[in-house]
Amino acid sequence: MLVCQLRKAACRHTTDRKNSLVTVRAVCSNQPATTEGLIFRRGTPGSWDEAGVGSPVVRCYFGDDEERWVMWYAGRSKEAPSLDMIAPSSGSTGIAISKDGIHWVRGEGHISGEKGASAASDVGMVMEPNKDWWCFDTCHMQVSDVQIMSNSSVESGVGVFWMFYSGGDFQPISIPSNLPSSPDHVQPPGHKDSSHSADQTERASPSQPVRTVEGLRMRPGLAMSQDGRNWARIEAEHHTGALFDVGSNGEWDELFIGTPQVLAVGPKDMRMFYHSWDQQRGRYVIGLATSPDGFRWTKKGVVFDPHPTSSGEVAGSSRSHDELGAASCHVTRDIDNRQYVMFYEAVAADNTRSIGLAISKDGLKDWQRCPTPLLTSSSDEVEATASGLLRWDCGSVGQPCAVSMSQGQWRLYYAGRSSTGKPGANEGIGLALSVEGSAKFLGMPTQFKRRNTALSD
């Protein structure tokens, strides 16, 4: 376990009770529905996560006589700035709880700050954008990893929750012309897309596409908590408080550092996987940074680039589910096969997203890419109902979080949206289960099926 020095003077508490969006009350996320896979919808009107939810971080903790599931996730209200073109549903961070990882209890506003035994049922928003103007996360924030690690400097001597997240400020950043989700690519000049915030982007004239956007310059952050609900930001050495900066001009990660996810491999061996848009390659790639303590990080460069031409596929072919690279990822250990597994958001040539798989023996290099995606968007664009509504995830699926279960089975949590090939907030969070007896890729199942039951069961 990692032992580090918690610098209390550098902590900033983030749960301001005076800024509660609405009256806090627990709401079960189990309204009746027939949509496959969907287990967690957008929040109710007026709630902090009414405009979109995503980036699930799901953990299962075992007690003496029960299991307890916790999910940290990103969400935003309609009033919050939108950065759906690059970080769907990023805004604030909340917590939900469950007894089975399927039916969840959530909150409409800030957590109430309960103490004692009742604190375990306290749900709602736990972190929001920073109010200090000079910080890196004043515009939006997106949780991407939460872990429990020991810390001898904490009075209780018990494990401490570490939250890694990405955040952006209000500095306008030029949008690369080759970015697939750029308004230049997804909409004609003068077209107004409701998925974009009018006050967050800037146009030269009604006939020209958006050229700059606020919040695009994302950097990685760290927060700590003793209960998983009341968090304190850690001000790192970068002048914005971020753990480290984006790359210099011309480097692969100069645009942003997205969805940092950390794997504590051993003593003084912490590995952070993150993604960015490489303007020279013209696709998303995943990089690595290492640290001995979780505070000081050293970049190691790109470790995974799933460009289809490197595996013998023809660029632009229907099989090239990740022709434009790999975005947010979740790396975990496959204990049964003694290897490391990467679930990643695969970006196709038309900017639709699916979930891909790659495997490495040492978790550092030589990632072997599975040639087919584990999960794609819903095959049918219209639900089998008289309403004719689009399926909630018929456009794209991504932001994966995998949980290893018993007997080689896996749960795959993911975010989905109905918009196809263009920016849009996530409609909800879904669950897919590995199919027993399905084909294997280096020991891992390659077929996942959406949980096919109503939310009310």
Side-chain angles (χ1 to χ4, degrees):
M1 288 297 209
L2 180 69
V3 178
C4 68
Q5 180 64 35
L6 178 61
R7 296 168 289 177
K8 296 182 180 179
C11 297
R12 295 186 182 276
H13 294 280
T14 59
T15 36
D16 186 350
R17 305 292 184 263
K18 296 181 180 179
N19 293 323
S20 180
L21 299 179
V22 295
T23 302
V24 177
R25 66 183 180 88
V27 180
C28 288
S29 181
N30 61 353
Q31 295 91 342
T34 57
T35 306
E36 286 185 339
L38 182 62
I39 61 169
F40 199 86
R41 299 176 180 273
R42 294 178 182 179
T44 55
S47 62
W48 73 273
D49 55 357
E50 62 179 335
V53 294
S55 194
V57 178
V58 181
R59 301 288 183 260
C60 180
Y61 304 108
F62 294 94
D64 295 335
D65 54 358
E66 64 177 359
E67 61 183 44
R68 178 170 56 93
W69 292 78
V70 181
M71 178 170 65
W72 293 268
Y73 66 100
R76 65 175 175 86
S77 65
K78 292 181 178 179
E79 291 75 23
S82 165
L83 200 71
D84 291 336
M85 63 175 292
I86 199 71
S89 304
S90 180
S92 300
T93 296
I95 187 173
I97 58 175
S98 172
K99 293 182 179 180
D100 57 10
I102 299 171
H103 305 93
W104 296 89
V105 178
R106 68 199 299 172
E108 292 185 325
H110 272 291
I111 58 171
S112 61
E114 296 290 339
K115 303 294 183 181
S118 58
S121 60
D122 199 4
V123 291
M125 184 201 296
V126 296
M127 285 187 70
E128 59 187 330
N130 208 322
K131 293 178 174 59
D132 291 328
W133 63 269
W134 50 269
C135 291
F136 71 97
D137 53 354
T138 54
C139 178
H140 69 99
M141 64 167 298
Q142 182 178 33
V143 60
S144 49
D145 196 11
V146 178
Q147 299 189 32
I148 297 180
M149 291 180 279
S150 64
N151 190 318
S152 61
S153 67
V154 178
E155 293 179 1
S156 63
V158 298
V160 176
F161 290 87
W162 294 51
M163 177 191 291
F164 295 92
Y165 65 97
S166 54
D169 58 25
F170 286 100
Q171 178 188 1
I173 299 297
S174 298
I175 305 172
S177 59
N178 62 348
L179 185 69
S181 55
S182 166
D184 302 55
H185 291 245
V186 301
Q187 62 186 32
H191 175 75
K192 184 176 181 181
D193 190 335
S194 60
S195 67
H196 290 85
S197 174
D199 61 353
Q200 195 186 355
T201 55
E202 180 180 298
R203 290 182 185 274
S205 73
S207 63
Q208 293 180 343
V210 176
R211 298 301 182 188
T212 63
V213 64
E214 297 172 346
L216 183 58
R217 179 72 81 235
M218 295 184 289
R219 297 180 175 92
L222 170 64
M224 288 187 172
S225 171
Q226 294 189 21
D227 59 6
R229 290 166 171 79
N230 298 280
W231 294 89
R233 283 178 166 93
I234 302 300
E235 291 180 16
E237 294 181 356
H238 190 259
H239 65 86
T240 64
L243 291 174
F244 53 86
D245 200 6
V246 296
S248 302
N249 290 339
E251 294 186 328
W252 74 274
D253 58 354
E254 68 169 303
L255 189 60
F256 63 83
I257 293 172
T259 56
Q261 189 249 327
V262 173
L263 196 63
V265 179
K268 298 184 178 181
D269 186 3
M270 298 184 72
R271 304 174 187 178
M272 177 188 291
F273 298 86
Y274 65 96
H275 80 280
S276 189
W277 173 257
D278 188 329
Q279 299 184 58
Q280 280 65 47
R281 287 183 172 92
R283 55 187 177 271
Y284 293 97
V285 291
I286 293 174
L288 175 71
T290 60
S291 173
D293 56 13
F295 299 111
R296 299 166 295 161
W297 293 89
T298 302
K299 293 182 180 181
K300 299 297 183 180
V302 175
V303 294
F304 183 60
D305 176 6
H307 193 227
T309 56
S310 65
S311 60
E313 292 187 14
V314 178
S317 69
S318 60
R319 296 186 301 146
S320 300
H321 63 285
D322 51 8
E323 182 172 349
L324 291 185
S328 59
C329 71
H330 179 211
V331 179
T332 186
R333 288 187 180 92
D334 175 12
I335 302 298
D336 295 335
N337 297 296
R338 297 183 180 181
Q339 58 190 4
Y340 294 86
V341 181
M342 176 189 294
F343 298 83
Y344 65 92
E345 182 176 316
V347 186
D350 62 356
N351 198 36
T352 57
R353 313 296 173 100
S354 59
I355 296 176
L357 173 70
I359 294 175
S360 169
K361 285 298 182 184
D362 61 7
L364 294 172
K365 59 184 184 302
D366 298 328
W367 289 92
Q368 302 297 308
R369 165 186 171 276
C370 181
T372 57
L374 301 181
L375 189 72
T376 61
S377 57
S378 299
S379 57
D380 299 324
E381 292 192 354
V382 179
E383 286 190 297
T385 64
S387 64
L389 297 175
L390 290 174
R391 285 189 181 273
W392 74 281
D393 60 350
C394 69
S396 287
V397 294
Q399 299 177 345
C401 178
V403 178
S404 177
M405 307 297 287
S406 61
Q407 299 180 344
Q409 299 301 300
W410 291 80
R411 285 188 178 188
L412 182 57
Y413 294 87
Y414 66 96
R417 60 180 184 264
S418 59
S419 57
T420 304
K422 65 179 182 179
N426 293 317
E427 306 287 341
I429 294 170
L431 172 60
L433 309 174
S434 60
V435 177
E436 188 173 1
S438 65
K440 303 282 187 178
F441 176 75
L442 300 179
M444 283 292 296
T446 59
Q447 185 179 356
F448 282 74
K449 185 176 181 180
R450 290 169 172 81
R451 186 175 181 272
N452 189 18
T453 51
L455 293 178
S456 59
D457 65 355

